[in-house]
Amino acid sequence: MPQRSWRRASGRLSALAAACAARMPAVLTVSLAVLAGTCPPPVGPLMRTLWGRLTADEAQRQCALSLDTAAESTVFALGPVLGGLLVAASSAAATLAVCAALAIIGFGLLATGLRRTPASVRVASAARPRSPLRAPGFTPLLLLVLAVAGALCLFEVAVLAAWGTLVAGVLTTLFSVGGVLGGLVYGRRRWRGALARRPVVLAACSTVCYALPALVCSAPAAGIALLLTGACTDVLLITAYQLVDRLVPHGSRTEAGAWINTAYNLGAAMGTAAGGVLVDRFGSPAAFAVTAGLLGVCTSIGAPLTRRRHATDAAGEAALSQPEPTATSPGRA
């Protein structure tokens, strides 16, 4: 990861803070925000590739990815709360300045840690690795990731329209809480069943949970749905990262992780846009029903494609169950 990448990110966050403090035109401020969003290095995909190389076996990899995802959900749960407190205590410009300082410190520490990583486990850049999109079974996985992200944001827009900002803030936090709990529970034990089938099962469970407020349109029902779907969604993402190690060759795994993040962000953007239109035209109850329906359709499309990968996944599990002779060596390839 080039050091100038995180320097650009922190620099543009600082410029954004200055623009807010100086009350510059909205067009300039929005442009700086877009530029700041394009600069942060791909920390998530990079770290998840490293977990695949630093861990000795599938069990350790599952634990590492679970802790990684639980930590990310914790950030999403606490970040908005801390940001709101900082804005209330100071100003938006000061809060953005704090974000820039955190970017400098966090990315700097990460870059230092990566330099100390043994050369045998660093993510090397290949001449021209094969695109992960060409790996059999990877595209259906991206469809499920996009679908769960779109369903979440569509659902959140409907919650906001139905019960207002205060209740929506509490309810959407439950999603992150469920994600933390689900990730930690998933990482603590060894699960039966084919790994390739888990994303479909988890997406189907999320569909059932999202259907609950469509049947009983109340805030408690929506809270239960978000808590349970938070657990399902985070575990689905963990299994998606696990499947990257099964489906994608070594030289393309960081790119594959970036594609998973891109699919999630694209689904979130599409879900937010669709949620606004649906709520405006048909109301929140209809948006709740559409959320479950769309996710159910995407799950139905992905299920047959996943079954085709079951034989390959079973072979991969059999191979991973064998002891790795290089696990105890000082440097692993």
Side-chain angles (χ1 to χ4, degrees), residues 158 162 213-214 217 282-290:
C217 190
F282 305 106
S284 294
F288 291 141
V290 171

Side-chain angles (χ1 to χ4, degrees), residues 142-158 175 210 233 262-276 278 287 290-292 294-295 298:
L142 291 181
L143 172 64
L144 290 177
V145 172
L146 184 145
V148 295
L152 168 64
C153 290
L154 198 162
F155 192 87
E156 287 181 340
V157 170
F175 181 88
Y210 280 131
T233 300
T262 300
Y264 192 92
N265 293 333
L266 179 61
M270 294 170 63
T272 302
L278 285 170
V290 171
T291 300
L294 287 178
L295 184 54
C298 292

Side-chain angles (χ1 to χ4, degrees), residues 144-269:
L144 290 177
V145 172
L146 184 145
V148 295
L152 168 64
C153 290
L154 198 162
F155 192 87
E156 287 181 340
V157 170
V159 167
L160 178 62
W163 296 292
T165 54
L166 180 61
V167 175
V170 175
L171 293 180
T172 53
T173 301
L174 290 175
F175 181 88
S176 296
V177 173
V180 173
L181 296 176
L184 293 177
V185 170
Y186 180 76
R188 283 184 61 88
R189 58 170 295 180
R190 188 179 185 90
W191 299 88
R192 296 180 179 179
L195 181 63
R197 289 181 175 176
R198 292 176 196 171
V200 173
V201 173
L202 291 164
C205 291
S206 296
T207 301
V208 174
C209 295
Y210 280 131
L212 180 60
L215 300 174
V216 182
C217 190
S218 65
I224 293 172
L226 284 168
L227 182 68
L228 295 177
T229 52
C232 292
T233 300
D234 271 30
V235 175
L236 188 150
L237 290 174
I238 295 168
T239 57
Y241 294 124
Q242 286 180 279
L243 283 169
V244 165
D245 290 340
R246 301 278 185 90
L247 303 176
V248 180
H250 277 286
S252 304
R253 288 177 183 172
T254 303
E255 182 184 351
W259 272 112
I260 290 176
N261 285 8
T262 300
Y264 192 92
N265 293 333
L266 179 61

Side-chain angles (χ1 to χ4, degrees), residues 70-176:
E72 188 172 1
S73 292
T74 303
V75 169
F76 279 112
L78 297 180
V81 176
L82 296 177
L85 291 175
L86 280 174
V87 170
S90 55
S91 64
T95 303
L96 287 171
V98 171
C99 292
L102 290 175
I104 295 173
I105 296 171
F107 292 150
L109 290 174
L110 177 61
T112 302
L114 290 177
R115 284 197 299 270
R116 296 177 180 176
T117 303
S120 58
V121 297
R122 290 179 188 168
V123 180
S125 58
R128 181 55 184 162
R130 181 182 178 183
S131 172
L133 296 178
R134 299 174 61 185
F138 186 65
T139 303
L141 183 63
L142 291 181
L143 172 64
L144 290 177
V145 172
L146 184 145
V148 295
L152 168 64
C153 290
L154 198 162
F155 192 87
E156 287 181 340
V157 170
V159 167
L160 178 62
W163 296 292
T165 54
L166 180 61
V167 175
V170 175
L171 293 180
T172 53
T173 301
L174 290 175
F175 181 88
S176 296

